[in-house]
Amino acid sequence: MERRKFIKTASLTGVGLTLGSTLLNCDETVSEKITEQHSEAINDLYGIPLVVATWHVENATAKAMEILQAGGNALDAVEQGCRVEEADAKGQTVGKGGLPDREGNVTLDASIMDKHGNCGSVVYLQNVTHAVSVARKVMEETPHVMLAGEGAKQFALSKGFQSEDLLTEASKNAWEKWKINAQYQPIINIENHDTIGMLAIDKNGDISGACTTSGLAYKMEGRVGDSPIIGSGLFIDNDIGGCVATGLGEEVVKTVGSFLVVELMRQGKSPQQACEEAIGRIVNKPNSDYKNFQVGYVAVNKQGETGCYSIHQNFNMTKFQDGVNTQIQSDYFNKA
Ligand code: GLY
């Protein structure tokens, strides 16, 4: 860990500063040498597994890290990590136990993306807990990227997934209570836990990501959010990094949020700077109603640097690296 910190500091400050001044002096020989040192330092960061996720999901990141530590790949790690949350019937925003739409249907959206840029997703999936695994099957066992509704369900059943009732007593009771007034309003932070988006870097330095959600509570029947839309809820470019989103999906879709974050990193921004700029694109729109909704991003770059940022407070990222599985409180835009 200490060595890693030293390498990181050296690569980002000492070497970087020296590199900068050397380039200014136009000394090509020294510059090339330092560029080599710099890239060696960055390369040394490869092979150190990392998992980050939206919200407070230490059990999920622990599962993902267990896979990475055993030499598993990032794709298996993010799938297995997301499954932990999907299986937790107490969680009312993902998988089994998710809050239903206004008609009482629990409908799930999920996506997954690998190091090659392959991706799969499911939208409006009912009666199957592990939407993220169905998304992976779409990616690996069909010529398509996205399956929806009954087609997604039938595909899942054909692949051996079990059909089950996802509406728990607790979620049914909450829905019955909501129906008394039946007022639909996006809630800024749903109990500090919403869409689970996860990014992992494995021992080979390869990146994968996944996203899973039951979407907005009491949404209109048929509504789909950002999570299954590649580039919005999730985007991975194994040469650059990855990003996942949480919060009000409509606003993420309108700015193609996760793709934007990755492209900003490609242009040289750090994951933190990229997340902040992507939130800026939402809140700085003319007539933005940002005071009434939440969006949060979590990003990682190829060097293993991470960032997170949200519109409002109380968003956090869970990060597991170097044996430490911890929550990091996100900085946020709306400090007024
Ligand atoms: N971010 C999840 C959704 O809007 O459905």
Side-chain angles (χ1 to χ4, degrees):
M1 178 168 170
E2 287 313 308
R3 179 171 169 270
R4 182 179 185 284
K5 272 191 182 149
F6 167 77
I7 291 165
K8 186 164 184 170
T9 307
S11 72
L12 296 179
T13 55
V15 175
L17 288 175
T18 318
L19 176 62
S21 60
T22 307
L23 286 174
L24 282 177
N25 290 336
C26 297
D27 180 336
E28 271 185 27
T29 318
V30 178
S31 151
E32 272 165 24
K33 204 167 162 191
I34 290 172
T35 303
E36 271 167 33
Q37 281 173 4
H38 181 76
S39 82
E40 271 168 27
I42 294 292
N43 282 336
D44 262 351
L45 294 175
Y46 292 178
I48 298 174
L50 164 71
V51 182
V52 284
T54 55
W55 303 109
H56 169 58
V57 289
E58 275 103 333
N59 290 340
T61 48
K63 181 68 195 176
M65 184 53 78
E66 187 187 310
I67 288 161
L68 297 178
Q69 288 294 8
N73 64 44
L75 186 66
D76 288 338
V78 293
E79 180 192 2
Q80 293 301 321
C82 285
R83 283 174 65 100
V84 169
E85 293 301 312
E86 289 176 336
D88 179 4
K90 292 200 196 86
Q92 291 186 301
T93 59
V94 174
K96 194 173 177 67
L99 289 168
D101 65 16
R102 55 179 63 179
E103 311 303 325
N105 310 303
V106 180
T107 72
L108 306 181
D109 297 335
S111 62
I112 195 161
M113 195 160 182
D114 73 8
K115 64 180 179 179
H116 301 296
N118 296 315
C119 47
S121 73
V122 287
V123 305
Y124 197 77
L125 175 68
Q126 295 184 64
N127 300 108
V128 180
T129 297
H130 292 300
V132 72
S133 296
V134 185
R136 182 168 177 178
K137 290 275 182 209
V138 172
M139 175 174 83
E140 293 181 337
E141 298 183 24
T142 80
H144 308 303
V145 163
M146 183 183 285
L147 289 180
E150 187 59 24
K153 179 176 162 182
Q154 290 309 323
F155 169 73
L157 298 183
S158 78
K159 294 292 172 188
F161 290 81
Q162 298 301 307
S163 178
E164 53 185 320
D165 186 2
L166 303 183
L167 187 64
T168 56
E169 267 313 293
S171 288
K172 190 173 174 195
N173 291 342
W175 171 58
E176 302 279 4
K177 205 167 150 194
W178 173 82
K179 278 200 294 182
I180 296 166
N181 292 318
Q183 280 178 347
Y184 172 68
Q185 282 177 327
I187 304 165
I188 283 180
N189 274 318
I190 304 170
E191 39 174 293
N192 286 343
H193 188 294
D194 185 69
T195 303
I196 302 307
M198 185 177 284
L199 303 166
I201 303 184
D202 60 29
K203 287 185 176 178
N204 292 327
D206 290 321
I207 308 171
S208 291
C211 210
T212 184
T213 188
S214 53
L216 280 178
Y218 322 128
K219 60 199 172 189
M220 286 176 69
E221 187 174 12
R223 181 265 186 191
V224 169
D226 59 312
S227 307
I229 299 178
I230 302 301
S232 290
L234 164 70
F235 196 71
I236 303 293
D237 182 324
N238 197 39
D239 290 335
I240 305 296
C243 179
V244 281
T246 184
L248 186 64
E250 282 75 2
E251 299 300 324
V252 177
V253 170
K254 287 176 200 169
T255 50
V256 200
S258 292
F259 182 73
L260 173 61
V261 169
V262 173
E263 287 306 298
L264 289 166
M265 291 194 289
R266 188 192 307 281
Q267 291 166 22
K269 295 211 183 303
S270 68
Q272 184 62 35
Q273 290 167 335
C275 290
E276 291 179 19
E277 185 162 336
I279 290 292
R281 296 281 176 97
I282 297 172
V283 299
N284 293 325
K285 280 182 179 172
N287 306 320
S288 175
D289 189 33
Y290 72 84
K291 290 200 171 155
N292 293 316
F293 61 81
Q294 173 70 303
V295 170
Y297 291 112
V298 165
V300 62
N301 67 12
K302 191 70 176 171
Q303 290 74 40
E305 297 171 295
T306 60
C308 57
Y309 199 65
S310 57
I311 298 176
H312 300 282
Q313 63 182 344
N314 295 330
F315 174 53
N316 46 47
M317 163 173 80
T318 304
K319 178 172 177 176
F320 199 156
Q321 191 174 36
D322 287 335
V324 181
N325 190 12
T326 189
Q327 273 189 73
I328 294 170
Q329 196 68 40
S330 174
D331 194 9
Y332 57 96
F333 173 78
N334 185 25
K335 299 204 168 103

